[in-house]
Amino acid sequence: MTYSNGVLPWGLLWAYEMLEQPELLGIARQSLDFLIGISRNNAGQISVVGSNGWCRPGFRAVWDQQPIDVMKLALAAAKAYELTGEPAYEETARKCRAWFYGHNDLGAAMVNGQDGSCYDGLQEHGPNVNCGAEAVISYLLTEAICGKQAEPVQEPLQME
């Protein structure tokens, strides 16, 4: 497992919707459920596979978590919720959104409340404060993906 893992189950969910082949839904759900399981910390928060070593048998990197991986997981979870109506998928999408607001392994906000930008990654000692386009777009897309089900994040975004 490496980069943008959520795009695979998302694609399978779309294939199921277009082709109406039940086995596609089963495979999509199995892969998404596996990804959700590996993308949570002990507190149940989103903790995507880190890019500092990725994931392979016997090893799963915690750091550096990238916003694009959170967004792709939200994308797949929201599509699964749309197709199945299962609340666990909606909850996962909401938790992805909350990751940006500090519901993550470090309790660190990934969004700069002053200008709406997003930090490039969550590293072991805090956010990588670079604010590249990929991170900002990932944050904004997660907001758009979760817009239908948006509720205020429980803890307010801390301004810098």
Side-chain angles (χ1 to χ4, degrees):
M1 295 180 67
T2 58
Y3 190 70
S4 295
N5 296 302
V7 77
L8 296 173
W10 178 71
L12 287 166
L13 289 163
W14 273 101
Y16 162 73
E17 184 176 46
M18 300 305 292
L19 301 173
E20 299 179 355
Q21 295 178 0
E23 65 273 12
L24 290 173
L25 180 60
I27 295 167
R29 290 183 64 185
Q30 285 178 344
S31 64
L32 179 56
D33 292 347
F34 172 79
L35 182 59
I36 291 168
I38 203 166
S39 298
R40 290 197 173 168
N41 61 21
N42 290 335
Q45 298 169 319
I46 296 301
S47 178
V48 293
V49 172
S51 64
N52 191 7
W54 304 110
C55 185
R56 56 189 179 275
F59 178 79
R60 181 212 179 271
V62 174
W63 315 110
D64 301 332
Q65 296 175 33
Q66 298 184 20
I68 193 167
D69 288 309
V70 177
M71 181 270 291
K72 295 290 175 87
L73 181 58
L75 189 70
K79 187 65 179 174
Y81 176 67
E82 176 189 323
L83 294 175
T84 68
E86 290 195 24
Y89 294 128
E90 181 183 32
E91 176 187 352
T92 296
R94 286 183 183 172
K95 286 184 176 191
C96 288
R97 181 175 178 258
W99 180 91
F100 288 93
Y101 293 96
H103 293 257
N104 54 48
D105 287 297
L106 295 180
M110 296 299 293
V111 177
N112 180 325
Q114 300 281 3
D115 61 14
S117 61
C118 179
Y119 302 128
D120 276 356
L122 185 62
Q123 300 174 318
E124 186 173 1
H125 301 292
N128 171 345
V129 295
N130 294 321
C131 296
E134 180 181 282
V136 174
I137 291 169
S138 294
Y139 162 63
L140 294 174
L141 283 173
T142 301
E143 283 292 332
I145 291 163
C146 296
K148 295 178 190 173
Q149 56 194 13
E151 293 179 3
V153 176
Q154 291 182 355
E155 295 177 20
L157 175 66
Q158 294 180 356
M159 301 297 242
E160 291 187 7

